[in-house]
Each structure stands twice: as structure tokens, then as C-alpha cells.
Amino acid sequence: MQSPSRVCVIDDDESVRVASSSLLRSLGWEVSLYQSAEAFLDADPRGGLACVITDLNMPGMSGLQLQRRLQELRREVPLIFITAFASDAARRQALDGGAMCFLIKPVDGTIVADCLERIRRGFLKP
């Protein structure tokens, strides 16, 4: 069975979405971009979804609220949080909620690649 190959990026900052898309495509991933958690949930993009990379602080639903909503909907998808405004409490909440990574902007592309590789390996377990 082939592992999922698509990453959804959710960030209210268009420049972050574009930069993230460029990085992810260069790493061989298919990418879908969303300007809000609500837009992502409305699109319901489950087929072939490997993970979601989301900003922590966004207008409307935050990344942590999205994480809780996905859990309520029983949609198990790996999450990577990327934020410019981190706190120990938010980091702890995200990771305790099952997030794979919690990264601080600006993010080194190799760290994102490492997180995605861990996710890919998780899908390939026998």
C-alpha cells in the first residue's frame, strides 16, 4: 500500500502558504492550501492526506481548536504546528493532543522535512 502523499497547509498569511507550498513540493509532496481552519474543514480533504501543517494563531478557529475539532470528528491526521507566537502552554497542549511537531517561525526546511519523514515512516509500519 502506498503512503498518503498530500499535505494540507493552513495559515492566514498568504506568503507563508506560498513559501510552505514551494518547500513541500520540492520535497516531493502534493500540497493543498487553506487560509483558515474553517476553509479546511469545509473542504473535507481526506483522500491521500498524509498530514496537516497549521498555524497556531489565526482569525476564527485557532490551530489548537482545529486539533480538538478533528479529534471530535474522529479524523485522525498527523498535525504539525508552526507558529511565530509560541508559549510553553500552547506547545504542551498541542503535543499532549497528539501533534507530531511544534515548530517556531522562521522554520528551517530541514526540520520540516524531518517531521514529514517521521510521518511517512509511520504510514509504512507493517
Side-chain angles (χ1 to χ4, degrees):
M1 183 169 109
Q2 187 175 357
S3 64
S5 60
R6 189 161 47 88
V7 176
C8 290
V9 176
I10 307 169
D11 199 300
D12 58 307
D13 185 328
E14 182 178 11
S15 63
V16 171
R17 290 192 308 269
V18 170
S20 297
S21 177
S22 295
L23 170 66
L24 294 167
R25 289 179 200 282
S26 75
L27 295 171
W29 294 91
E30 296 174 30
V31 182
S32 297
L33 304 175
Y34 299 92
Q35 67 182 10
S36 69
E38 294 88 350
F40 168 79
L41 290 170
D42 288 345
D44 194 22
R46 287 188 261 183
L49 183 59
C51 83
V52 171
I53 297 176
T54 184
D55 191 6
L56 182 66
N57 298 307
M58 298 178 285
M61 185 181 289
S62 73
L64 290 172
Q65 290 169 323
L66 171 65
Q67 183 181 42
R68 284 191 299 276
R69 184 68 182 134
L70 290 171
Q71 291 167 346
E72 290 168 1
L73 295 170
R74 300 206 190 291
R75 293 194 191 143
E76 295 186 22
V77 59
L79 287 174
I80 297 172
F81 283 88
I82 298 179
T83 183
F85 306 103
S87 70
D88 288 338
R91 175 181 171 78
R92 196 168 28 260
Q93 186 175 353
L95 295 174
D96 288 350
M100 295 295 296
C101 299
F102 190 92
L103 309 174
I104 311 301
K105 293 178 186 175
V107 177
D108 183 326
T110 58
I111 295 172
V112 174
D114 289 345
C115 290
L116 290 168
E117 186 55 33
R118 286 188 6 223
I119 290 168
R120 188 186 313 262
R121 283 194 311 265
F123 281 115
L124 297 176
K125 287 181 183 174

